[in-house]
Structures are given as structure tokens and as C-alpha cells.
Amino acid sequence: MRSHSLAQTQPNAYLPHEAEVVKFVQESKTIYTLYLRFTDPLVHANYMYDPGQFNMLYLHGVGEVPISIVSDPEHEDLLIHTINRVGRVTRGLAAVSEGQRLGVRGPYGRGWPLREAEGQDVVIVSGGLGCAPVVSVINYMIRRRERFGRFTIVQKVKHVDEFIWPERYERWQQVPDTTVLVAATQGAENWRWQVSPRIKVMEEVKVHTERTIAMICGPEGFMASAAEHLIGQGVPAASIYMSTERNMQCAVGHCGHCQFGPTFICKEGPVYAYPRIKPLLNIRGF
Amino acid sequence: MAASRDIAIRVPVLARVEGEGGLEIDIHDGRIRDLKLRIFEPPRFFEKLVEGRDHTEVPDLVARICGICPVAYQMSAVHALEGIFGIDPGPWVRAMRRVFYCGEWLESHNLHIHLLAAPDYFGYASVLELAGEYPEEVRRGLRLQRLGNDILRLFGGRSVHPVGARVGGFHHAPGMEQVAQLRAELRDALPLAEALVQWTASLALPHHSQEFVSVALRHGQEYPFNEGRLVASDGLDIPIDAYEEHFTEEHLAHSTALHGRYHGSPYLVGPLARVNLNWDRLPAQVRGNAERAGVVFPSDNMFHSIIARAIEVHFALVEALRVLDDYALPDRPYVEAIPRAGVGFGCTEAPRGMLWQRWETDGEGRIRAARIVPPTSQNQPRMEEDLRLSLEALGLEHSDDSLRLRAEMVIRNYDPCISCATHFLKLQTRRS
Amino acid sequence: MIPTAARPTLAIHKFSSCDGCQLALLNLGEGLLDLARMVDIRHFVEAGPMDEEASVDIALVEGCISTAEEAERIRRVRANSRYLIAIGACATSGGVQALRNLHDAGAWTADIYAHPQYIDVLANATSLADRVRVDCELYGCPVNGHQVLAAVRSLLSGVTPLNDRDKLCAECKRRHNVCVMVARGLPCMGPVTATGCGVLCPTLGRDCYGCYGPAENVNSAALGRQLEAEGMSKEARAGRFLFIHSNAPEFASGGSSGED
Amino acid sequence: MERFLPTAQFQRLINLLRRDGYDCVGPRVRDGAIVYGPLERVEELPVGWHDEQRPGHYRLARGSGRRFFDWANGPEALKPLTFASREVLWTVVRDGQGSLRFCEEVPEVRPTAVIGVRACDIAAMHLQDQHFGYREYQDPYYNRRRRALFLVAVDCARPASTCFCHSTGDGPAAHAGFDIALTELDDGFIARARSERGRDLLAELPTTEVTPDHHAAAGAQHDAAVAAQTRRLAGRNLKASLFAHLDHPEWDAVAGRCLSCGNCTAVCPTCFCHSVGDTTELDGRRSTHHRQWDSCFSAGHSYMHSFVVRDQTVLRYRQWLTHKLGTWHDQYGRSGCVGCGRCLTWCPVGIDMVETANRICGGDGDAQP
Ligand SMILES: Cc1cc2nc3c(=O)[nH]c(=O)nc-3n(C[C@H](O)[C@H](O)[C@H](O)COP(=O)(O)OP(=O)(O)OC[C@H]3O[C@@H](n4cnc5c(N)ncnc54)[C@H](O)[C@@H]3O)c2cc1C
Ligand code: SF4
Ligand code: SF4
Ligand code: SF4
């Protein structure tokens, strides 16, 4: 699954390719999924990526945004992006219709350590709405269930409304040797999962620490405390990976916006091993 | 039609004038009993705002009186202040100020002719409709207007509230290349301006002569922009500092603008007044083209204002070219001002007419007092008078709608700038 | 936001102002005709169309609120508009008119007008946002017509307009100007003023006077101290800040550090 | 290859370059500063001009000297010639059917010879070469401009009070990265060629042997230039020290003075940050995608939909310094500062970056010069 970036084979990495919105799915009030196909069949056929890499999506006349690829490179023909509507471009994209054309360039960055995870117990932790990229990782691993050890899936939300894919979590609960832990800070009627303040739910994670790999996605403070919990349980820091986010304008390491201390997230990230970014993770301003 | 009907015509907001004004006419027994051109722009206290400010801030501050003719406000003010400080900025600055002024006339006059006035003569509500039927004419107008903006930008960076003027001259001298490029464009536009004059003369303008006094600047050799004596068609000929001896302003309930009077009566300022009084100062090629259009100046038909405006568009192009043909970079585009206390006067010809100002500074060059008399408030009594005469001449028996339309047309013909008009004066305590 | 299907409607309203922002639109030339093709202009008194009470998708509002009538009218405009854009200094901070807030306008009226009873003004001239919810503010005295078109374009694309509040200095350097403050000691407001004008003043060799209003994250006190260090009086320093946008909070302190 | 070019023959250098198809660009006096501009005749150079620089202050004055390059760098480095302050990257047109056609807009560049480049700026350009020429993603815009350059360097003989290139190891003499370097003496120049085309050009010029006197004068001049630089950073690599002092009170002190205006980053020859944007025609058909210089002192630099990572000046200043003098070492194997002193001079409030850094690092900077 050697990633062979499109951007590397073309002379101008800044130039998007035209892609068509084949399908649009509204997942929740603010979250939607775009299914894309490059209009040039050759481009589509040659486009290869790793899970966890991202693309720059361009909405005509508005702008570009970095969005993770959530499709499974081996099982899905279309490029899938799940997007939270937060600002200009993501709002504009929320209004696209099927058949509409966008610009796409990528893939960029380094994704989840899926090869490293083979044969290991896997803990996947997500916080708040930052869960889209991990959903694709979970799907990816469930499709290849035999290659991995024990699964623990943790999802923490502040409010129950943020928990948007209950049926998926219920389905994953049925997968052999899999634990699903969901907790909300504030509960509500009919909430069948846990209610717990802060990130206490992590205490219930039971793993074979010496052969565990963890993947975390969410706000930085959340990721740091989840990581510390795991370390407290004996998981080596180097086996904990997390996905970071910074403003990104070029995605090819030139524009300087995604600096995170010594690294550029678009080149080295967005997924990092915890020790690489730990020194700056909780310091305001980096 | 019953001559005795009572008619009340209310035009709450006048379209296609700058700023907001309204009109109220009461007709009783076949006579106009009451007629008010209401200017209800909120007062903006400019003369007060400038008090205590440094003289260097004046050009930027007075520009804000009016977005349409900021240059005029700047020019009258800098002349007055230079008078106080005893500065002569020299021939380069004087020449470039004329070009700067040409820019403002081109911009303002073309805006008025095409966007504000012309739709009236074709029965359209706006230029957007006019452009549908007369795309070439409208495009010609927009191009001439843009040339005006280009000149303003060359000296001042932008056409609204340009930033290039200062007491003593300009902050920056345009480069040779930019000037050469502008010159080429001005030259290309000459035929457009000539055609524009012919076109305005061919419009179905009402024929109606009136008696009125024209007032404008007059200069020994030039068509007036920034210098000269104040003259009137009744023979008045005074230096600008004598203005207050002959002209007064009144504050009426229905208007936040003051009403200007000359020896107690209404008078006219603006393009028609200027052309009437300075026909002989127009270059031969401008006069020749106007004569071909078949209109004779001085004219007592107020509706010839639009032709006068077109003639001034033509003049502005010719004048800008004349000055710029000898363009050279100066050593410095301004002379340094050394402030001192005093009183100074500035009077220049804004697109809408003579704009008179009086400034007083302290020893550090801070403003003690200012008085600003914009053209629209000077024209206001004349407009009301014209409305009475024009509507009566049209015949008050006409329908309300046609009376209203004619009334609006009469007002627009003056190109009133209502925002300007509300800068009122500081009433002079010295006046008797 | 505005759907792209039907031709959206637009109104341009005027409050206390010099008309310069509307003129910036009238000066767009062909751009204005393009605008009329893209949107249905329902109310634009200066250009002709008149329907003050029209319900519209986009309202561009010029001018500040300085009378009771205006305070009432802006409420109606708000109610009739889906997306309200304040254009220009007057609408966004009160503009030059707000200078009178620093004084007693009532006394001024009495002082100036022969019949002050004819004059109805509020004690303070204020921005639109002080009265109603405003969806987007375009600073600038006047606004740049292209800025307005870009905002309308964004709305047509279904997204919020951008609002660049970077400091003028950034754009000044992009234009390769020589800094008038460092090289000539002029009291430039660039370091506290937002971009948008195209760096007119320093490009013409003079100091910026702040007509685009405060940039984001400004340090007016530090600039004020620097102006004094370069020889300005306290009074003159305050005047630099209390000018076109005197009522904008970041400038209202007059660039003083609070000690004076 | 080293030859002596008499002053009287200096114009020949420009003539030959022009003959070979180069546009010549050189330092000129404009608006009270020395900046690059088109150059045809050597008299257009700032002959006899001197600069006076200190933090927040720059003034030019004309002396009676006859030298062409007797002044220190002005506000602009080579950066604007390679990394455009604003440029279009591509345009896109949407046709009637809704298809998008993307069109690359690579700049037309003409071969350009730059006369009078200083050592610090060449060093900075090499840093930017690393950045924009990053293995995987070449920047075609930068590269095209970069490759069009022919560089004629000049050793710095009269550093400003703000200069400290000697302490960063980048000057005052040019050592590498140019086609030809000149050492200006009273009667001419010692010219050294470093590239093939530089050697060819030098061979065509009417030069003479360099004499021992020339060498002696050049050496003395160099030593004096070094001695004139009293300012120095506390060490070549301040990373550890800066990160050890992230809560030093000096950060707040400097933030109290800093305008967060980004002038320092704009004049810095190594700063590369830029932002992108789209400008769309009103009818929505055509759109241009462009980029322009940005700065870590702007909100947009660290903006993330719901918040700004560096919302305060103190965080922005800290980002700039910890990156420039700290994490550049991780990214490019050296500090991002070449000692040109521009960020001191062109800071409108005269913040002295060197003093600030040294204060924060205290005695902790690594001691090597
Ligand atoms: C590597 C990476 C992967 C991402 N994957 C996803 C994903 O799968 N789904 C998803 O919903 N979101 C994802 N994001 C976040 C997404 O990029 C931002 O929500 C989006 O850029 C916001 O753009 P906007 O124009 O809607 O918001 P605005 O608030 O209008 O932002 C304006 C501009 O600022 C920049 N910007 C703002 N916020 C961010 C941000 N968080 N990250 C980067 N640039 C930003 C963008 O250039 C954006 O266009 C990812 C971010 C990164 C860095
Ligand atoms: S001239 Fe003004 S705007 Fe330009 S860099 Fe200097 S301080 Fe900033
Ligand atoms: S940090 Fe300052 S001194 Fe160093 S290279 Fe940049 S501008 Fe020059
Ligand atoms: S250090 Fe100086 S130049 Fe840099 S952002 Fe601060 S005030 Fe501006």
C-alpha cells in the first residue's frame, strides 16, 4: 500500500483536478459526506492514497480546505470526505449538489499507522466532532479484522447531540473481541451510554499494554489527557498516535501556516506519534 | 380642468440626486401657495469638527463633506490656508491642481449627465434601464467618467476622498510614464466628449426662459477652476474676500441646508452660470464644437445646464491635455508650510458651482474657525424659484404625475448635492 | 445565506454620510451594470430605483445613525433585509460625524444654527451595529467598490464575505513601499489600520491616516508612544487616532497608554 | 578566478550582461532608501550615499565619496525577486455546463542580473531555495524566478549599526552562491567568479591582475567591517535556550511594545509564510487563485475556524522568535537568521530582536560565536 501521491507525479502541485460530486449524504445537522470521482478517468485510476491522508478540496470561487480522506483505498472506488460545516468553504460545500464539480488535489500528509498496528491491540479514542477520520480507520480495520488484536473504541462527547452515528457504534459492539465505550459529559433521556465528566471513561480501557497501539483524534487537550491515561496504564508513549490540525493553505509545506513547533503538519502530520509533539501539545500558542 | 382644485404634491425622497431631499408643493386656486425643497440630511457639524485640528488634517477632513466633489472642498481649503501662511506653491502645483480639478469635473459631470439626468429625457427611471436601449451612449459616459476617476487616482490614489492634496501642493508627483499613458487616453476620448456635447444638445429639453443672476469665478485668461474674481451677470465684480459683503445665508425650518442669497435674492451657481459668464474663456475648439451644436450662450434656459455640463466635460479633457502635454517632474511636488495665525479665503469652482470658504488659524496652524458655503445651499432658493416658474409655465392644470415629473426634472437639472448642502455654516457674529 | 437560483434582490440605503460609499459604487462603471445584471436592485435612490420598504436579500447600508428618525429607519431596514452589510466608516464606526460625540452636539447646534429648534440630532452619532445586528462590516472611508462587489460575489456563492483585518503594513510591504515612518519619521497609522484601501497614502509618500479603521489585534498605546517619541504632542497624537474612526473602540483611547 | 576591474570599466559589466540578454537590477535611491530597481548605467547606483540605521530608524545622506556600494542593505533583500509578494497561481473557469477548467499561471520571467547583492541575502536565498525547492513539491513559481537570476555580489564594507552577519557566519564577505563577487576598493573592484557563466563573463571584461596592494586593502577593509559589527546573537543555535525560557518575562515586555504589524517578517529575507486567496469575477465564471506574503504576526496565520491559536501579540512574537532562531534548526539545519538587521531597522517601534533574544536566552546560548 505504498502511497504514490498524485502531486508528486505532476509538475505543479498547486493545481487542482476537476472532480464530480457523485453523491451527497447529510449525516447530521452540520456533518455531510461527499463522494467524489475525478472527471478525468486516468487521474481517477492513478490516484492512490493511504487512510488518514488528506486532500485539498476547492469550491469554485470560494477557496480550498484540507479534508481527510475517509474512504478505504482498497474497497472503495470513490473518494469519500466527511465534512463538518464550520465556516466559509465548508458551508459552501454543504450546499453542493450531485453532479457539481469541485477541485481536488492530494493526497497529502501521513495517515494512521495501520501497518504498524497489524498484530497489535488497537485503542481508538475520539473526542467531540473530531471523529470522522477515526470512523474510517475503524471501518478499515473491521474489514480486515483478522489482522488485528483486541479493539477498544472510545468516543467521548460533551453533549449527546454530538454523538451522530449511534448505529455504527452499536454495530461495532457486535464485532468479535471489541469493546465500545461511549460517554457524554451531559446525559439525556434515552441515552443508553455512559455519563461521565471529563475523560474518566479511559480508565475502563483494558489492554495488553506491551502490544497496544492507540490512535486518538479530538481537541488537543483531550488528546493529551487520553494519552496520559494510556501511558498511566503502561502503553508506551511511542505507540500512541494522534491527529493534529492547524490552518493550512498550501498543503505542500510552503505556506508556513501549519507549523507546529519544528514540524509542518502537512508534511509530517497530521498524524504524529505522541512523543514527537508532546513537548508543545499543551503549550498555548504553538 | 378645474383651476380651483387643491393639489398637494409630495415627493418624499428625490431619486437620482446625491444625498436625500424631498419636495412639497401645495397648489391652491390654480396658484402655487407653498413650495418647499426639503433637505433633511442630518447636519454633520463640519465647521465645528475642524476646530482645533491641525491644518495638515484639513484636506482629509473637508473631503468628507462630500463624496462627489471632495477635490473642490480640498482646493478651496488649501488655497485659504496657503493665503494665511503666505505660501505660493508655484506654477507646477497650480497647473496640476487644474488637472486634478479636471478629473473631478469629468467624474462628477458625467455621473450627473448619464446616471442622474439623462434618464429623464428618455422616460426611464434609471441608467440601468437607459443602458438597455442606449448602450453606446451609456458606455461612452461611463468611459468619460472613468477618465475623470483615473485623473483623480493619478494624483490622489482614489477618486472618492483622494489622499494626494496637501497645503502647499501634492504629496506625490505622478511619474512620467503614468502621465504619458493618461495623456494617450485623454486624447482618444476627445471625440467622445465632442459627441457628448452634440448629444446633450439633441435631447428633448424643455424650452423655457427665465430671468436669473449667474454667479461664478472669472479669471484673466483661463476658464475658472481655482482662481479669479467673483462676478455676477448683473455686473458684480469683487475679490473673493468681499463675498460676505454681498452674499448671505438663511436658516429655514424645512431644510438643514442654509439658503444662500445675493443682495437678498436667489442666484445661480454651477455649469450654466460658469459658461454664461466665461464663454469667452473657453478654448476655441470647445466653443467651436458647442456652436456646431446650435446652442447660444449666455442662455436663459435653465435646462441648458446639461449642455453646459457637457461643454465643461469637453473643456476638462482639452485643459488636462494642454497642461499635461508639458508635464515634467518637479524637484518637489509641494512647498513646506510654515504656519502662522490669520484669516484666509478660498473660492474654487466645484462641479456644482462656486464653493467659498473662510478659514482662521492660530499661530501653530491649528484651526480656529471655518465657514464653508457649498454650491447646493447657494442654489436652493434658485431651485425653489425655478420650480414655481417652471411648473406655472408648464401649466398647473397638468396631472399630479406630470407636475411631479417636471418638478423632479427641474431639481435634478441643478445636480443638487444634498450631502454637501448640509455642512451649514457657522453663523458669522460679525455680520450686521 | 443567499440561494444562487433566483436573482437575489439588493437595496442600498443611506444614513448620515457624504454619499462617498455609494459613489464608490456609481464609479464602478461597467461593474455597476454587471451588478445590475447579477442582482435585482430594488432600492438605490442615487441611481434611480426606489422602494425603501422592499424586502431584500442583501442590503448595503451607508452612513451612521445620528437622528431619531434614522434610529427608527435602520430597524426597518434590518427587518426587511436578510443579509445586512454596513459599508464605510460612518456605518461601521460612526465615521467623521462621530467626532461630535467627543463634544456636546446640543451646544453646537445652538451655537451654529440660528434656529436650533429645527434641528433634531441624537447626542451621539453611532455605527449601525450599535443599533441593529449587522452581518458584515466593510470599513473604509470610502469603501472600495471592488470590496463591495467581492462581498456580493461571496453571498452569491452562498458563503459569508471575507473580512481582511490585517494591518496596512503587510500590504505596504507587499507593494515594496519604503516605510514613511522609519525612513522619514512621519506619523503613519499603518501599524494599527486595516488593509483594504490598497495602501494609498504610503504609496503616495505620505502617512496613513487610518480611514480603514482598526486592524485586528492592534497596539494603539505602543504606536502612540512611538509618535510622541518622534516629537508629537499628546494632543496631536490623540488627533491621529481620533479622526475618521474616532468611535472605534481601538482608536477611542486616542492611542494613549492610559496614563494621560 | 580573481581579477581586478578598474572603476572606469565597471559599466562594461552591465553592458555585457545586457548583451547576454539579462535585465539588470541594482540598488537605487528611491523614496529615501536604497532599494533594487532597473539599472542601465553605473552612475544610477547610489554613488557617495551613506545610510544611518538603528532600530526603527533609517536615513540616507549623500557624502562626497565616489564609492558605489558604501552603504549597508536597504529594506528589501533578494526575496521579492524570487518569492513574489503577490502572485496568481492558477485560474479556473466554470463553463456553461458547470465544468471547471484549471489553468496554471506560471510567471513569465526574464533573465535578470542583480548587481550589488550582499552576503547575508545570498545566504537567505539559499535557505529559501531549500524551502521552496523541497524535494517532493517543487514550487514552480519560485524556481522559475530563481533560475533566471545572475548574481553579482558585493562584499559589505560599511555595515550598519543593526548588522550582525558576522556573528551568524553569513557575512560581511560573500563566499558562495554568486556568479561574480566584487570587493570594492577606491580605484576599482576585485572580482571573483564562482560559476561557469561568471568566469566566462569575467574573462571578457577588461581586467588586470590583482596586486598584493589590492589584497592588503581588501583585507583591511574586511577586518574593519567585521570590527564594526558590535551586535551579536548569544549563539548560533538558541533553540534549546529559547524553549527553556518560554515563560520568560521578556516575552510580555516585548509584546507590550510590539505592534504585531509584521514588518519584521516582511523585510526578513528568509521568512516564507504566505496565504492564499481567491478572487472571483462578479458573474462567478472565472476565479483566480493567488498567494501573498503573510506573517506569523497576523491572526490569519494561526486561525482555525473557531479560534485563533495565537490570538495575542505575546504568542505571535514568541512564535516568530522560537521559529526563526529555534525550530529552523530542525527544519533547515541552521538558524533562520542571517544577521541582515532589517527586522531591527524596519520595525516601526524599533524593537531590537537581537537584544530581545539575548535577554531571553540569558547566558544559556551556546557560546560559540
Ligand atoms: C489535515 C487536516 C484534515 C482535516 N480533515 C477534516 C475532515 O475530514 N473533516 C472536516 O470537517 N474538517 C477537517 N479538517 C478541518 C477543516 O480543514 C476546517 O474545518 C476547514 O478548513 C474550515 O474551513 P472553512 O472555510 O469552512 O472555515 P473558515 O472558518 O471560514 O476558515 C477560513 C479558512 O481558514 C483556514 N482554516 C480554518 N480552520 C481550519 C482548520 N481547522 N484547519 C485548517 N485550515 C483551517 C482554511 O484555509 C479556511 O478556508 C481538517 C484539517 C486538517 C488540517
Ligand atoms: S509606511 Fe506606514 S503602512 Fe507602510 S510599513 Fe511603514 S508604518 Fe506600515
Ligand atoms: S531575523 Fe532579522 S536580522 Fe535575521 S535575517 Fe531576518 S530580518 Fe535579518
Ligand atoms: S517586532 Fe516590530 S516589526 Fe515586528 S511585528 Fe512587532 S512592531 Fe512590527
Side-chain angles (χ1 to χ4, degrees), chain D residues 184-222:
Chain D
E184 184 175 28
L185 301 176
D186 283 338
D187 51 347
F189 304 88
I190 300 176
R192 326 187 278 285
R194 268 288 180 288
S195 66
E196 192 68 40
R197 46 188 194 170
R199 271 188 287 277
D200 290 349
L201 197 75
L202 194 49
E204 274 197 77
L205 282 167
T207 54
T208 58
E209 288 290 318
V210 181
T211 66
D213 282 355
H214 289 143
H215 275 135
Q221 185 166 298
H222 177 78

Side-chain angles (χ1 to χ4, degrees), chain A residues 113-125 141 148-154 202 205-216 226-227 229-241 273-274:
Chain A
L114 294 173
R115 233 165 321 156
E116 292 83 336
E118 291 193 12
Q120 310 263 332
D121 285 0
V122 182
V123 182
I124 293 182
V125 187
M141 294 201 285
F148 303 94
R150 224 191 122 65
F151 272 179
T152 310
I153 299 170
V154 185
M202 288 301 296
V205 176
K206 301 280 178 287
V207 286
H208 300 98
T209 52
E210 70 286 1
R211 52 183 180 88
T212 292
I213 195 162
M215 306 182 198
I216 313 179
H229 264 286
L230 290 168
I231 289 170
Q233 288 167 49
V235 178
S239 298
I240 300 173
Y241 290 82
Y274 183 45

Side-chain angles (χ1 to χ4, degrees), chain B residues 16 19 41 44 60 419, chain C residues 14 19 45 97 141 206 242:
Chain B
R16 286 183 283 124
E41 276 276 318
R44 297 194 293 138
D60 300 325
S419 315
Chain C
K14 175 192 153 68
D19 284 40
V45 174
Q97 287 85 223
C141 183
R206 62 170 292 187
L242 303 177

Side-chain angles (χ1 to χ4, degrees), chain D residues 258-264 297 317 347-349 351:
Chain D
C258 174
L259 303 169
S260 185
C261 63
N263 273 302
C264 46
F297 283 93
Y317 196 92
C347 170
V349 290
I351 289 173

Side-chain angles (χ1 to χ4, degrees), chain D residues 143 309 346 355:
Chain D
N143 284 349
V309 176
W346 298 97
E355 201 182 292

Side-chain angles (χ1 to χ4, degrees), chain A residues 54 64-68 82-84 86-90 245-249 270, chain D residues 303-305:
Chain A
F54 68 95
E64 274 190 320
V65 282
I67 300 289
S68 306
T82 294
I83 305 173
N84 191 11
V86 295
R88 258 183 121 239
V89 179
T90 52
E245 228 183 274
R246 280 294 175 274
N247 185 305
M248 213 171 264
Q249 314 247 317
Chain D
Y303 170 79
M304 299 237 290
H305 54 273

Side-chain angles (χ1 to χ4, degrees), chain B residues 113 117-118 121-122 196-207 303 306-307:
Chain B
I113 294 172
Y121 302 108
F122 295 93
L196 176 68
V197 173
Q198 305 297 330
W199 183 67
T200 53
S202 74
L203 297 174
L205 304 173
H207 295 282
F303 284 102
I306 191 168
I307 307 173

Side-chain angles (χ1 to χ4, degrees), chain D residues 164 264 267-270 320 324 336-344 353:
Chain D
F164 56 102
C264 46
V267 294
C268 179
T270 69
W320 137 255
K324 182 111 313 193
C337 175
V338 296
C340 74
R342 288 191 179 89
C343 61
L344 285 67
M353 182 277 276

